[in-house]
Every structure is written in C-alpha cells, then in structure tokens.
Amino acid sequence: MTKVVLIDDHQVILYSLSLLFKSMENVEVIGVLNDSRKLKAFLETETVDIIVSDLHMPHLSGIDLTLMLRKDFPNLKILLLTMAEDAYHIREALRAGVHGYVLKRATKEELEKAVEKIMTGKKYYSEAVIDELAASPDDDFNNSKPETIEHLTTRELEILKLVTMEYSTSEIAEKLFISVATVETHRGNLMKKLEVKSAIGMAKFALKHGLVD
Amino acid sequence: MTKVVLIDDHQVILYSLSLLFKSMENVEVIGVLNDSRKLKAFLETETVDIIVSDLHMPHLSGIDLTLMLRKDFPNLKILLLTMAEDAYHIREALRAGVHGYVLKRATKEELEKAVEKIMTGKKYYSEAVIDELAASPDDDFNNSKPETIEHLTTRELEILKLVTMEYSTSEIAEKLFISVATVETHRGNLMKKLEVKSAIGMAKFALKHGLVD
DNA sequence: TTTTTTCTAATGGTTTACCATGATTTTTAG
DNA sequence: CTAAAAATCATGGTAAACCATTAGAAAAAA
C-alpha cells in the first residue's frame, strides 16, 4: 500500500480529493493537511511514500515545499496537483525536483497512473504539461519565450520592482542614487528582454511572477 | 432526493466533488460537467434542483452562467463553490442572483448545510463571505472606498481593460471609434477614481479585480 | 588575464501620457 | 419632462516615457 498525504488549502477540495484517493487500489491516505507548513511536523511521526500537493498555497507554495522536502526527506516523492498550466510554473516545479506534475483538469485514471509510475521510481507529467513545455521551449533550444526572471540582472529586477510600484524614472534614479539616463537604459533593456511595449507590460510581468503585490 | 449537477472545469476536482456529494444523504448527483456551456443542453432533457458550479471557468463564468439560468430556468437553484473571496466577485455573484456562495476552503459539513438551506428556499453564504462584505461595505451604508469597480462606468471599464492590455491611447481611440481626446479624458477620470498616478496603477487595479489576465 | 556581462551615463529626438478646463450631446433616472 | 450622469471632443501645455546609439568603468566569468 502506498502511503499518501494530501495537501490543499481548500478544505472542500481536500476532503473530496481524499475520497478520490481512498477509492484507489493500493493507496492509503494517511493524512490530509490544509496548510503545507504542517507537513514537516507530520513527517516527524509518520512514514509517508508520496505527497500530493497543490501548488498555489498561502505561506508555503508547493514549489517551496518541494525544495524544503528534497533536502530533509530525499526519499519522499512529491506530486504536484495544480491548475497552473503555464510554462513558468512548470519549469519552476521541475527545477525544484518534483516527481510528478498533474493538472487538476486531468482524469482520475491519469492521477492513478501518475501515482503508480512515481512509486516505481519514474516521473510523471500530464501530457498538456509536456505540450506546454514544447510550445514554449527553454532557450537552450529556442530563443522564444525567455522564462526571463533568470535572465534579468539584479539591478534590472530592482528597477522592475520600482517601476511596478509606480515610481517614475526620476524617482527611481533618486532612490538608487544613479542618473535618470541609467534608469532609462535599464527600462529599455527590460522591455526588450520581456518583449513588452510599455511599463504596463513590465508591471504585468512583475505581478504575474510575484515580484510585487 | 435533491437532484444536483456539478460544474467545474477541472476534471479531478469535478470527480472528487462528485464523490463528496454522493456521500451526502438526500443528494443525488445526476450530472457532472466540465464545461459550463454544456449545461443548457443538459437541462433540456433533465430536471435538476440545484447547480453547484465553480466561478472561474473558461468560456462561461459562474456569474455569466447564473445570469443566463435565472432567465431561462427561474426555479433552478445555483450554488457557487469557489475560491474567490474578494468582495468584488461576491457582489457580482449576489447581483447575478446566486442562491449560495460557498468557499472551497469550507468543510463538507458546511457544504451540506448550504445545499439543505438552499433547498428550503433560503440563501446561504459562507461566513467569510459575509465578513468580507462587511469589511468592504457597499456605499449604501458607507461612502468609504470610491475606488471600487461599481463606480466605474461601462465605458471606463472598457478603456481600463484596453489600457491594461497595453493599448496606447491612440490605439484605443481607433478601436472604439472615438477621438484621442475622449480617451484621454476617460483615462484621467479613471486615475482620479482609482486614486492612482499612472497607467500602471490602473493596470494593477484591473489585474487585481480580474478584469484582465 | 582576457573576455563578457553588468552597470553606468550621455545625447538628441519622438511619442505618449498626464493635467486643467470648458463645452456639447446623448443617455439615464427621478 | 427635467435634472443628473455619462460620453463625447477640443485646446494647449508640461512632464514623462520611449527609442537608438554610443561608450566608459566595474564586476564576474572564462
């Protein structure tokens, strides 16, 4: 029997998912948590095979959770079950080292298959996930959609944040003790890198990636 | 037996929810739909008591669905089950005339209670929903925050969306067949109403309220 | 140590955004 | 019907953003 712990911040979903997993052969739900921060304490007392977790959660996201677990519990398998279908989140998850990435719009059968496959030591990703990755390839292969946060320099990130916080170019220059011209250069470079045509595009990028709220 | 139809664009969630509802006394799940647009056809052949639907869905949102159903099927009850806790979506739902608004982080018991109450002809809203409404009161009682969506005219909303989509003033003017000056006036009024100092502020507002993605 | 990247900065020009103000028409609500 | 609200447009000005190009200095990588 595969020992499973479920994590989702939405109680109804959590409960429903537990019913679904309980209806699976060879699966035993030994815990359901509505807060990812509770997991570490849980793991102190229980032996778990696989964690099935949401990605977007308050306090500790599925990705941060994964990073934490991979260090402290290297044998633990992590399956993210999320509605995030964008290449950015997918890559983040892969980078963090998840064992599976399944979309909430998958079927029960697919989810079951994912758990099985992961327990045999393999990895599982929904087909749409692979398609999304293929459609927006990393720049190792292709220069199209730079998952650009990594391609931004620290200074650029700093300015991007300030722009998004509605500071004007001159205000940013003052704040950072650099000239207006320099800020303008950074803004221009940012817009090129992000492939947007105005500060609004920058702001949208920053918000989407959680750089600013 | 209360005849229930479940709608959610995420298959896993949909299936899990159906397990949850099937585990309820006096409830019969007579349909599960992963696309809200399929509902109308479904209702042609089946008699349904209550629709339990997600809010955020592609093609046809829970609110638009509600508006549609209230016209064509006035006896049908509609319960929104969503993770949207913000006053804007709540008010939109109430305005549309939903019979219940329950958060996905509610418990199974609460959901059960909600269904019961709705079937007796009453309405049900999660406690957090009521709190949220109280915390950001409408101007019938309070004149506090004029920067709400309701104080924007339809034209302003339209322009706000386009601004957020990175259209320039002249592009917007072309698109709407009005003069540049008019668009500028609207932009100015928008910024006053929203109490922001630039297009970025407008965009942030629009994004926060889900007007644009 | 070279090479590359990043950060810095300037020049000069174009476009767009922002502001104030006033005014007309159309639409909506009392 | 009439008053209010919403949508329309104009003028004229200031500030800010955007664009292209060049280039030196500092820091990081090869």
Side-chain angles (χ1 to χ4, degrees):
Chain A
M1 291 289 265
T2 303
K3 290 178 202 291
V4 174
V5 169
L6 306 176
I7 307 178
D8 196 305
D9 56 316
H10 296 103
Q11 202 73 38
V12 166
I13 301 302
L14 187 59
Y15 186 87
S16 302
L17 279 177
S18 81
L19 291 178
L20 184 145
F21 276 86
K22 280 172 185 164
S23 75
M24 290 181 184
E25 296 280 324
N26 302 319
V27 166
E28 189 185 358
V29 178
I30 64 167
V32 293
L33 304 175
N34 63 4
D35 188 334
S36 44
R37 291 174 299 178
K38 295 179 185 169
L39 181 62
K40 212 164 177 180
F42 186 89
L43 292 173
E44 304 290 340
T45 57
E46 302 281 341
T47 310
V48 179
D49 294 314
I50 181 165
I51 306 288
V52 177
S53 172
D54 192 11
L55 206 170
H56 289 293
M57 290 181 293
H59 313 303
L60 185 65
S61 78
I63 285 167
D64 293 338
L65 181 72
T66 302
L67 290 169
M68 195 199 82
L69 293 175
R70 299 235 61 182
K71 265 202 314 191
D72 299 348
F73 304 88
N75 294 323
L76 194 58
K77 309 292 185 188
I78 299 140
L79 169 56
L80 289 188
L81 181 62
T82 172
M83 44 189 204
E85 306 191 20
D86 60 293
Y88 171 68
H89 284 107
I90 294 169
R91 288 223 171 78
E92 281 291 296
L94 298 201
R95 232 188 297 277
V98 297
H99 302 85
Y101 194 107
V102 175
L103 300 176
K104 280 192 175 165
R105 64 181 174 85
T107 61
K108 180 202 170 184
E109 286 69 32
E110 186 183 344
L111 196 50
E112 212 159 4
K113 199 169 73 181
V115 171
E116 275 174 33
K117 200 162 178 185
I118 289 170
M119 286 316 294
T120 68
K122 292 177 183 161
K123 303 214 171 190
Y124 183 88
Y125 311 114
S126 283
E127 203 170 320
V129 167
I130 296 164
D131 290 349
E132 174 65 21
L133 281 181
S136 90
D138 227 348
D139 15 330
D140 295 337
F141 307 100
N142 187 303
N143 66 338
S144 66
K145 279 284 164 199
E147 282 324 322
T148 5
I149 275 191
E150 297 120 61
H151 297 79
L152 300 183
T153 67
T154 53
R155 200 52 153 178
E156 284 168 346
L157 271 176
E158 202 172 7
I159 284 165
L160 175 56
K161 279 183 202 170
L162 292 171
V163 167
T164 309
M165 289 193 271
E166 288 178 75
Y167 287 100
S168 72
T169 296
S170 61
E171 288 170 332
I172 294 171
E174 261 185 56
K175 234 178 161 58
L176 301 181
F177 303 106
I178 57 180
S179 100
V180 167
T182 304
V183 179
E184 279 183 329
T185 302
H186 284 307
R187 289 182 74 133
N189 292 337
L190 273 166
M191 287 194 286
K192 258 186 216 133
K193 285 190 180 182
L194 302 181
E195 293 173 12
V196 297
K197 15 178 241 184
S198 71
I200 293 178
M202 291 194 256
K204 284 168 79 174
F205 178 91
L207 292 169
K208 196 171 287 179
H209 289 79
L211 267 51
V212 192
D213 287 317
Chain B
M1 288 292 264
T2 303
K3 291 179 201 294
V4 173
V5 170
L6 305 176
I7 306 177
D8 197 306
D9 56 318
H10 295 103
Q11 203 73 40
V12 166
I13 301 301
L14 187 60
Y15 187 87
S16 302
L17 278 177
S18 80
L19 291 179
L20 184 145
F21 275 86
K22 280 172 185 163
S23 75
M24 291 182 185
E25 297 279 325
N26 301 321
V27 166
E28 189 185 358
V29 178
I30 63 168
V32 294
L33 304 175
N34 64 5
D35 188 332
S36 44
R37 292 174 299 178
K38 295 178 184 168
L39 181 61
K40 213 165 175 180
F42 186 89
L43 292 173
E44 305 288 341
T45 57
E46 302 282 341
T47 310
V48 180
D49 293 315
I50 181 166
I51 306 290
V52 178
S53 172
D54 192 11
L55 205 171
H56 287 293
M57 289 181 294
H59 312 304
L60 185 65
S61 78
I63 286 167
D64 293 338
L65 181 72
T66 302
L67 289 169
M68 196 199 80
L69 293 176
R70 299 235 59 182
K71 264 202 312 187
D72 299 349
F73 304 88
N75 295 322
L76 195 58
K77 309 292 185 187
I78 300 140
L79 168 57
L80 290 187
L81 181 62
T82 173
M83 43 190 206
E85 306 192 19
D86 60 292
Y88 170 67
H89 283 107
I90 295 170
R91 288 223 171 80
E92 280 292 295
L94 298 202
R95 231 190 295 280
V98 298
H99 302 85
Y101 195 105
V102 175
L103 300 177
K104 279 191 176 165
R105 65 181 173 85
T107 61
K108 181 202 170 186
E109 286 69 31
E110 186 184 346
L111 197 49
E112 212 158 4
K113 198 168 73 180
V115 172
E116 274 173 35
K117 199 160 177 187
I118 289 170
M119 287 316 293
T120 67
K122 292 177 183 162
K123 304 216 169 187
Y124 183 88
Y125 311 113
S126 285
E127 203 171 322
V129 166
I130 296 164
D131 290 349
E132 174 65 21
L133 281 182
S136 87
D138 225 352
D139 22 324
D140 294 337
F141 308 100
N142 189 304
N143 67 336
S144 64
K145 290 280 167 191
E147 73 269 14
T148 40
I149 270 186
E150 295 119 69
H151 297 82
L152 302 183
T153 67
T154 54
R155 199 51 150 180
E156 283 168 349
L157 272 175
E158 202 172 7
I159 284 166
L160 176 56
K161 280 184 200 169
L162 293 170
V163 167
T164 310
M165 287 192 271
E166 287 178 75
Y167 288 99
S168 71
T169 297
S170 61
E171 287 170 332
I172 294 170
E174 260 186 56
K175 235 180 161 53
L176 301 182
F177 303 106
I178 56 179
S179 99
V180 167
T182 304
V183 179
E184 279 182 330
T185 302
H186 284 307
R187 289 181 75 132
N189 293 336
L190 273 166
M191 287 194 286
K192 258 187 216 132
K193 285 189 181 182
L194 303 180
E195 291 172 12
V196 298
K197 26 179 229 179
S198 73
I200 293 177
M202 290 194 258
K204 285 167 79 173
F205 178 90
L207 293 169
K208 196 170 288 179
H209 289 79
L211 267 49
V212 192
D213 288 318

